[in-house]
Amino acid sequence: MLNAFQEGVVVVVCVNLIAVLGMSVLTGFTRLFSFGNAGFMSIGAYTAAICSVQLRLPFPLAVLCGAAMAGFIAFLLGSLTIRLRGDYFLISCLGFGECVRVLFNYTKGLTGGANGYSGIPYRTTAAVAFFCAVLAFVIAWNFIHSKYGQSLSAIRENEVAAAANGIDVVRCKKMSFVFSAIYAGWAGGLYAHYLRHITPALFNLGKSSELIITTVLGGLGSLTGSVLGTLVVQLLPEFFRGLAEYRMLFYGIAVVLVILVRPAGLYGYREFSITGAVRFVRRLGKGDGQDG
Amino acid sequence: MSELLNVSHISAAYGGIRALRDVSLTIGEGEIVSVLGANGAGKSTLLKCLSREMRITEGEIRFAGRPLAAKPYAVVESGMVIVPEGRQIFTKLTVRENLMIGCCQRRDKEGIAKDEERVYTLFPRLLERRDQYGGLLSGGEQQMLAIARGLMARPKLMMLDEPSLGLAPIIVSQILDILKDINSGGTTILLVEQNARKALSISDRVYLMNVGSIIREGPAEAFRNDDSLVNAYLGG
Ligand SMILES: Nc1ncnc2c1ncn2[C@@H]1O[C@H](COP(=O)(O)OP(=O)(O)OP(=O)(O)O)[C@@H](O)[C@H]1O
Ligand SMILES: [Mg+2]
């Protein structure tokens, strides 16, 4: 079995993967950038924690409530902001994320304020986290390969043409915004039941940026790319522990490099496929044959 | 013949610049009506207003006896579809996926399958390229795809913005013939064109636009026989 360190790594990777998958559906498939998804994680985490501790709900139900609450708030926020053009939408999300953080700092009675909320039972084991991540991937995959996902791809490519062909652009964008918030809330609820003690500062602007950076690194519009991106962003720092303080610096450099060298990301607009990999290996084999 | 579309006294502007002033027109069920005019006459603007991509500042539009829906997707739902200027196909989706976007509001699987077949019968080229990306098609094929995608919504009225743009004369004739076929299948057509002679050859009635207003209207024959008119406003 896994030791505590390995268990922790698996949980952190899986939890982040869920949040990144949500981001990937939103940003990769509609080009909306949300710098507020840590806020939805926070809402999910606190809702799940309170459900679990105060209301004594069973763990799966508590996490579900967290995800649902995040989705509900996203629905309300989206109704106001989803029509905004790119940059303005981004700023509204950024503001929202900060509002959530400050709000949870002030509502001491409910959330424990800046000191955090503790006494959450430990429920998110590596197995639970892994199961959730696989489930999240399967749901997201089906979502983007559904009629809805097709509509999102059309919007990404040409919003005006999409609308002219009968796609309700505002509704589709709102759907994907809510989808990403539900995923963030889901991740937050799981995270709370792993850490057992959460503070508002865990879900700050840095966390939102990390989610976006991971999505961009992995490649916009590619779910398998998101998996790859999450592995890189979450695991590399584990190998370079001593440099942890420079983490954000490395992210920044990595993103600049990606944008310069591979604007589509590590795996942009394509999915990893077994047959593709086999073909690639064969081609390598042939290349060797010709050289030799 | 019953009236399908009724546009009365509409105006529209880009910022402060008026692009349409007091435009009125009607289209009867089953007709092919052309709107002709030189560059900048306001033809595309008119279609943008009809598809609700652009807001009108004055006037009223009625479709099939009711006020026209306010949102682009709702306009499509009510049976009116636009094949926009410059095709606007989805280059990163395959031909078939493009067609499926065209019928994204429909739930009748059998009807969709039937219409897909019909579209391939009209445009055999699209069948050959069914699984190819839209961006890899030639200009003419892209135009065919744009029309086919519009047909997939099974519209009562199809509006086309310069389908002849940048295409060889022989392809233009082919496409216009197909439009005629589509029309005899029961779809009413509003055609916007600069290519006057070709458009006149398939139209029932014609509106002539100049700097944002309609300056002449009448049956297509009258225009066909009046070279001076065509030369003065259109050329070609
Ligand atoms: N996006 C825009 N912003 C500002 N002005 C515009 C815009 N689009 C068109 N116009 C102006 O509105 C007027 C009508 O343009 P419109 O595109 O409707 O002409 P058109 O008849 O379709 O011409 P063409 O045959 O060249 O396509 C023109 O004077 C044009 O300069
Ligand atoms: Mg035009």
Side-chain angles (χ1 to χ4, degrees), chain A residues 94-177:
Chain A
L94 196 153
F96 166 77
E98 287 302 284
C99 282
V100 170
R101 192 173 61 76
V102 172
L103 184 73
F104 286 173
N105 261 332
Y106 273 98
T107 50
K108 287 204 177 66
L110 191 62
T111 64
N115 292 332
Y117 190 90
S118 49
I120 310 164
Y122 175 66
R123 291 280 183 276
T124 309
T125 59
V128 168
F130 186 73
F131 171 77
C132 284
V134 171
L135 184 65
F137 186 86
V138 171
I139 294 173
W141 184 271
N142 281 311
F143 181 75
I144 62 163
H145 288 90
S146 70
K147 222 167 170 165
Y148 246 129
Q150 205 88 90
S151 301
L152 292 183
S153 305
I155 292 173
R156 177 178 69 195
E157 206 185 310
N158 187 335
E159 204 171 309
V160 172
N165 278 283
I167 293 174
D168 186 345
V169 173
V170 171
R171 181 151 164 267
C172 280
K173 283 183 170 176
K174 201 149 87 184
M175 277 291 284
S176 60
F177 187 52

Side-chain angles (χ1 to χ4, degrees), chain A residues 262-283:
Chain A
R262 274 188 78 93
L266 295 175
Y267 239 95
Y269 301 116
R270 280 181 302 153
E271 296 293 355
F272 177 82
S273 75
I274 301 290
T275 46
V278 169
R279 227 179 298 136
F280 180 71
V281 171
R282 285 233 183 94
R283 218 181 314 136

Side-chain angles (χ1 to χ4, degrees), chain B residues 20-57:
Chain B
L20 285 186
R21 54 192 90 214
D22 200 25
V23 170
S24 297
L25 59 86
T26 60
I27 300 177
E29 221 160 289
E31 276 191 307
I32 299 184
V33 172
S34 286
V35 173
L36 306 177
N39 285 114
K43 308 178 299 292
S44 297
T45 307
L46 173 64
L47 288 200
K48 279 187 206 163
C49 290
L50 293 181
S51 65
R52 296 294 198 198
E53 185 193 326
M54 194 172 157
R55 224 169 52 83
I56 54 174
T57 51

Side-chain angles (χ1 to χ4, degrees), chain A residues 147 150 154 157-158 160-168, chain B residues 53 73 76 82 88 90-92 101 104-107 149:
Chain A
K147 222 167 170 165
Q150 205 88 90
E157 206 185 310
N158 187 335
V160 172
N165 278 283
I167 293 174
D168 186 345
Chain B
E53 185 193 326
Y73 69 89
V76 176
I82 183 172
Q88 311 278 354
F90 302 108
T91 54
K92 288 183 192 122
I101 294 288
C104 63
Q105 293 184 348
R106 292 173 57 183
R107 293 284 171 268
R149 186 181 59 182

Side-chain angles (χ1 to χ4, degrees), chain A residues 18-239:
Chain A
I18 295 172
V20 169
L21 285 173
M23 195 65 134
S24 189
V25 167
L26 177 69
T27 306
F29 290 86
T30 57
R31 288 219 180 117
L32 288 173
F33 280 85
S34 164
F35 266 94
N37 272 29
F40 292 120
M41 267 184 102
S42 190
I43 290 172
Y46 275 94
T47 307
I50 290 169
C51 283
S52 199
V53 175
Q54 248 120 309
L55 306 180
R56 306 200 172 283
L57 292 185
F59 165 63
L61 203 57
V63 172
L64 205 66
C65 285
M69 181 60 94
F72 177 66
I73 302 288
F75 180 81
L76 296 182
L77 180 69
S79 301
L80 295 174
T81 62
I82 208 82
R83 283 182 184 78
L84 297 175
R85 295 248 156 249
D87 303 351
Y88 296 100
F89 175 79
L90 188 153
I91 289 168
S92 72
C93 289
L94 196 153
F96 166 77
E98 287 302 284
C99 282
V100 170
R101 192 173 61 76
V102 172
L103 184 73
F104 286 173
N105 261 332
Y106 273 98
T107 50
K108 287 204 177 66
L110 191 62
T111 64
N115 292 332
Y117 190 90
S118 49
I120 310 164
Y122 175 66
R123 291 280 183 276
T124 309
T125 59
V128 168
F130 186 73
F131 171 77
C132 284
V134 171
L135 184 65
F137 186 86
V138 171
I139 294 173
W141 184 271
N142 281 311
F143 181 75
I144 62 163
H145 288 90
S146 70
K147 222 167 170 165
Y148 246 129
Q150 205 88 90
S151 301
L152 292 183
S153 305
I155 292 173
R156 177 178 69 195
E157 206 185 310
N158 187 335
E159 204 171 309
V160 172
N165 278 283
I167 293 174
D168 186 345
V169 173
V170 171
R171 181 151 164 267
C172 280
K173 283 183 170 176
K174 201 149 87 184
M175 277 291 284
S176 60
F177 187 52
V178 170
F179 186 97
S180 87
I182 288 176
Y183 267 47
W186 185 2
L190 291 176
Y191 204 32
H193 285 83
Y194 163 71
L195 292 175
R196 292 150 66 201
H197 175 89
I198 51 176
T199 64
L202 277 174
F203 309 102
N204 57 10
L205 188 55
K207 185 67 196 173
S208 285
S209 317
E210 188 187 291
L211 293 177
I212 292 223
I213 287 167
T214 310
T215 311
V216 173
L217 265 180
L220 293 177
S222 166
L223 293 182
T224 39
S226 294
V227 177
L228 192 65
T230 308
L231 288 173
V232 169
V233 169
Q234 297 300 327
L235 291 184
L236 276 190
E238 297 295 340
F239 293 115

